[in-house]
Structure formats: C-alpha cells, structure tokens
Amino acid sequence: MFIRNRAALFFIIVLLKNSCAFCFAGADFTPPASPRTLYNFNPGWKFFKGDIAGAEQAAFDDSKWTDVSAPHTWNDTDTYDEIISHSGGERHQYTGIGWYRKYFKLPVGAKDGKVFLEFEGLRQAAQFWINGKPAGKYENGVAPVGLDLTPFVNFGDAGNVIAVKVDNSDHYKEEATGAEYEWEGRAFNPNYGGLNHDIRLILPVGST
C-alpha cells in the first residue's frame, strides 16, 4: 500500500523517530571494571643474533648478549639499503634465528590468579620457554599471541626468566605440516625479524 498523503507520511516518520528515541533513552553505559592490570613488558631484554645451543635453559649465561627493548628488530640496518627489483626483493638482509631473554619477578599477591603475557606481534615464528620449560609456540607471522604463564612462574623473591627463539627465515615451514607460508618470501619485503611489537604483562587487579 502506498501512502499518498504527504501529511500522513510526515506524521508516521515523526512517530517512528520519537519511538526510536524513547527506546534508546537512558543512562550512558558504563563498562565494568577490568579484573586485570596491564604492565609494560618492553624494557630489559637480552638479544643474540643467530642460533645458540642451550639458550632456553634458565641457567644459561647471557651476560654478553646485547641489551635491547621491544619493539625490536634485527633488520633495522640491512633493509632499504639497496635498489629493490620487482623480482628480487631484499637480497642481503639477515633472515634466520634470533634469541631473546628477560628476567623478571612477580608479586606474591598474583599467586592466586592468572598471569598472562601478550605479544602484539612478532616476525614470524617463535618458541617460548619460562624457567627452562616449554610454554608455547607461534607460527602465524602477523597476528598477536598470548601466553598463560601461570603453570611455569615463581612468585615473590624467586625470579623468572623467559627465553624466546624467533625465526624469520624466508622459507620457514610449519613444524606440524611442513608447509611454507604462502605470503612469505623476499618479494614481501622488508622482513623485520624479532619482537617487533609491544609486549604486555597481565596480572590480576590488586596483586602488587
């Protein structure tokens, strides 16, 4: 049915508008308080460019490693330093394995809750160890990753160490399938390997 009377049509529009305003009227929504607190986990990392045996162990000596803070990449000086052809891409940047380690302590008040670590991203595959114990694997290359550290960490005066083995090899293959990343390769340059995004430690509110 068509409404031929303009006055009637205008009346219906106003009525619908007022009805919608009435439906959505009310107090502004206030989200509930978060049960968790986020801490900056970027500073205080040790870095080694290359692979090295035993670096995942808690007692490993990393005193001669380089001091860095995240976001960090080992390709900060070897990319965009030559003419890039459409078929060649970057030819002389380092691609392969790099290691990161960090020491940290957790408050006793966090013992009864969950402890998480959030990496906004890294390039491109990684394995994680907490106090020498395997804590996770990452083979995505672009998405964030979170780790539940609760089963592995100590609280109070007992310290912790996290070790991360990162790999940005051009032809990295997923361990489970043996498949290469379809979007990977020199043509997708530059390939900034490392812990190249922000990192956050997440603890229960009031645990400090």
Side-chain angles (χ1 to χ4, degrees):
M1 181 180 73
F2 295 98
I3 299 175
R4 301 177 184 276
N5 189 310
R6 291 186 178 181
L9 178 61
F10 176 77
F11 173 79
I12 292 173
I13 292 174
V14 172
L15 181 63
L16 290 174
K17 181 179 179 181
N18 291 338
S19 298
C20 292
F22 175 79
C23 292
F24 292 102
D28 293 337
F29 173 74
T30 302
S34 172
R36 305 195 179 279
T37 303
L38 277 62
Y39 297 92
N40 183 354
F41 208 70
N42 286 341
W45 289 87
K46 293 281 191 177
F47 169 68
F48 180 83
K49 183 179 177 180
D51 199 2
I52 186 168
E56 76 280 3
Q57 298 300 319
F60 181 85
D61 181 10
D62 56 19
S63 59
K64 295 183 180 180
W65 288 18
T66 304
D67 294 321
V68 300
S69 293
H72 176 265
T73 177
W74 57 69
N75 297 120
D76 53 342
T77 61
D78 62 3
T79 54
Y80 288 119
D81 58 347
E82 57 193 340
I83 296 176
I84 302 174
S85 66
H86 288 290
S87 61
E90 285 280 3
R91 292 187 176 275
H92 299 102
Q93 70 175 143
Y94 175 77
T95 57
I97 294 172
W99 279 90
Y100 295 86
R101 288 169 58 89
K102 177 171 177 169
Y103 300 88
F104 63 100
K105 290 185 178 181
L106 297 172
V108 176
K111 190 173 183 178
D112 295 329
K114 288 283 190 178
V115 178
F116 298 104
L117 196 59
E118 177 189 52
F119 295 79
E120 282 192 355
L122 56 88
R123 181 71 169 192
Q124 62 201 17
Q127 292 177 277
F128 306 89
W129 291 265
I130 304 294
N131 298 324
K133 299 177 182 178
K137 181 191 298 183
Y138 172 87
E139 293 185 307
N140 183 280
V142 293
V145 58
L147 301 175
D148 182 357
L149 307 187
T150 314
F152 310 104
V153 291
N154 303 308
F155 299 89
D157 292 334
N160 301 279
V161 58
I162 178 173
V164 187
K165 180 182 180 181
V166 184
D167 190 341
N168 77 327
S169 299
D170 280 337
H171 300 289
Y172 178 87
K173 296 181 179 180
E174 292 182 341
E175 291 189 5
T177 64
E180 293 185 6
Y181 294 159
E182 293 185 6
W183 46 264
E184 184 54 339
R186 286 201 311 264
F188 291 89
N189 54 73
N191 178 356
Y192 289 118
L195 301 180
N196 54 14
H197 287 72
D198 289 324
I199 309 169
R200 296 181 182 89
L201 177 67
I202 306 174
L203 300 178
V205 168
S207 58
T208 56

